[in-house]
Amino acid sequence: MKPYSNKAWFFILPVFLTVAFSAIVPLMTVVNYSVQDILSPTQSVFVGLEWFQKVMRDPELREALQRQMIFSACVLMVEIPLGIALALSMPAQGWKSSASLVVLAMPLLIPWNVVGTIFQIFGRSDIGLGGYALAKLGVDYNYALHAFDAWATVLLMDVWHWTPLVALLCFAGLRSIPAAYYQAAQIDGASRWAVFRHIQLPKMRGVLMIAVLLRFMDSFMIYTEPFILTGGGPGNSTTFLSQYLTQKAVGQFDLGPAAAFSLIYFLIILGFCFVLYNWMQSAGQSGQTGAEHE
């Protein structure tokens, strides 16, 4: 019988402790707050699922969720194709490739609050280049007054900030394709579209899945940029789920409903990521099977 040693537990113990302090303990604290009415630091009353029922009946939450879903869908529809196009247009080798990577990665190095400040100034018609140019073209643009302008500016800001991440992931996927694949396609006389359809896209499936999930989760957590740009307005046009949660927890100090909403927020992201991941897996397998039959 093979001897059993408990020494292996010492190697994974730091991981357990890290996860416990960084995830489990805060999560249990939120669960505790979500079923209690905090009357004072030393006094609380157990209320069961009352806060969950209250939050689910909140019309502002449904509006924020709808706004968030439309924004996340637009982010994916714009950033994923644009990131693929950028990766395909980048030089594969030489100093031009290195220079392209450095330039492309620059927006990723800028903090969220700085990005919000940049677009806040850029979009102003009196001192910003973008706002001034639109005013000269006769476009009535004002992100502080018009809901659509504010929403479009937040979307443009997110696309500018995070499309480079999608492009870098796709570029890494393209660089992993062996040269023999391209040589075989060239011998067969395959068109550029056929190479993309049957070689590049299937080989990028893994990195694309990571890019879609990362961008979806991150777009669901957007907070700083719209807060810096418009503070969630005009009206509630750019108040997404994270801002709504902050208003509940910090602005109104409504800890019970805020904790219940945090758990619902977490389950929404988890559920959508699960559905999205399985859909992409099944779509990739269907595409691979179809390509094999062609």
Side-chain angles (χ1 to χ4, degrees), residues 101-115 118 160-162 164-165 168:
L101 289 173
V102 171
V103 172
L104 195 64
M106 286 179 67
L108 299 174
L109 304 177
I110 303 176
W112 294 279
N113 57 338
V114 177
V115 172
I118 289 173
W160 178 83
H161 198 191
W162 291 111
L165 175 65
L168 291 176

Side-chain angles (χ1 to χ4, degrees), residues 72-197:
S72 296
C74 290
V75 162
L76 293 182
M77 286 191 292
V78 175
E79 293 185 10
I80 299 302
L82 187 58
I84 294 173
L86 283 173
L88 290 172
S89 63
M90 288 172 61
Q93 294 177 344
W95 67 270
K96 292 182 180 178
S97 176
S98 303
S100 300
L101 289 173
V102 171
V103 172
L104 195 64
M106 286 179 67
L108 299 174
L109 304 177
I110 303 176
W112 294 279
N113 57 338
V114 177
V115 172
T117 305
I118 289 173
F119 274 81
Q120 187 187 44
I121 298 173
F122 182 75
R124 288 180 56 171
S125 58
D126 52 349
I127 58 174
L129 181 61
Y132 179 78
L134 289 174
K136 284 295 181 184
L137 292 172
V139 179
D140 184 19
Y141 168 80
N142 191 325
Y143 63 78
L145 295 178
H146 303 154
F148 178 78
D149 294 349
W151 194 89
T153 305
V154 174
L155 178 63
L156 176 65
M157 191 162 46
D158 195 89
V159 169
W160 178 83
H161 198 191
W162 291 111
T163 299
L165 175 65
V166 180
L168 291 176
L169 288 172
C170 292
F171 184 75
L174 290 174
R175 295 292 295 151
S176 67
I177 300 175
Y181 283 68
Y182 294 109
Q183 294 169 359
Q186 189 176 10
I187 293 172
D188 292 340
S191 64
R192 190 176 179 84
W193 168 251
V195 171
F196 174 73
R197 170 73 177 79

Side-chain angles (χ1 to χ4, degrees), residues 221-243:
M221 295 185 292
I222 187 169
Y223 174 78
T224 306
E225 294 97 323
F227 180 76
I228 295 291
L229 184 73
T230 62
N236 290 323
S237 60
T238 55
T239 300
F240 300 106
L241 286 177
S242 57
Q243 289 175 290

